[in-house]
């Protein structure tokens, strides 16, 4: 497991972006959250296998291609979360 911190920029707030992230995580073993940021970006912080983390980012990029200007991904040591994936207010 790895921790993926992913920042999406563009027109990503107020368009159902966070719910899309949760929907696209279906069937993947990912744990963490997605949240709006004060700078207008969306931050996703998840623990997942390398394959599931990359797949989740790929799915989101396809589903919201017209809204995303940039995707920045950082990998870190896992926090070993097991509480599922949800929207964080």
């Amino acid at each position: 497991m790895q921790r993926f911190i992913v920042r999406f920029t563009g027109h990503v707030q107020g368009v159902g972006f966070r719910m899309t992230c949760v929907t696209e995580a279906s069937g993947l073993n990912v744990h963490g959250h997605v949240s709006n940021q004060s700078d207008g970006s969306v931050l996703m912080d998840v623990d997942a296998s390398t394959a599931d983390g990359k797949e989740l980012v790929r799915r989101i990029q396809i589903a919201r291609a017209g809204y995303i200007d940039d995707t920045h991904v950082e990998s870190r040591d896992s926090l070993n979360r097991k509480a599922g994936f949800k929207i964080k207010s």
Side-chain angles (χ1 to χ4, degrees):
M1 296 289 274
Q2 277 187 296
R3 181 179 181 195
F4 293 88
I5 299 173
V6 185
R7 183 174 303 274
F8 298 98
T9 59
H11 184 62
V12 294
Q13 290 190 14
V15 293
F17 195 92
R18 293 175 299 161
M19 184 53 71
T20 298
C21 294
V22 171
T23 301
E24 295 300 330
S26 179
L28 300 175
N29 185 21
V30 296
H31 303 276
H33 61 269
V34 60
S35 60
N36 286 337
Q37 301 298 294
S38 61
D39 65 0
S41 67
V42 169
L43 186 71
M44 185 171 68
D45 185 347
V46 298
D47 285 338
S49 68
T50 300
D52 281 351
K54 288 181 178 181
E55 177 63 13
L56 178 56
V57 171
R58 185 188 75 78
R59 289 180 182 184
I60 294 166
Q61 288 175 321
I62 290 169
R64 290 300 183 157
Y67 296 93
I68 300 169
D69 290 339
D70 189 43
T71 305
H72 178 73
V73 181
E74 288 182 43
S75 296
R76 297 188 183 166
D77 291 337
S78 173
L79 298 177
N80 297 310
R81 294 173 280 192
K82 297 291 181 196
F85 182 64
K86 60 188 175 231
I87 294 172
K88 181 178 176 183
S89 302

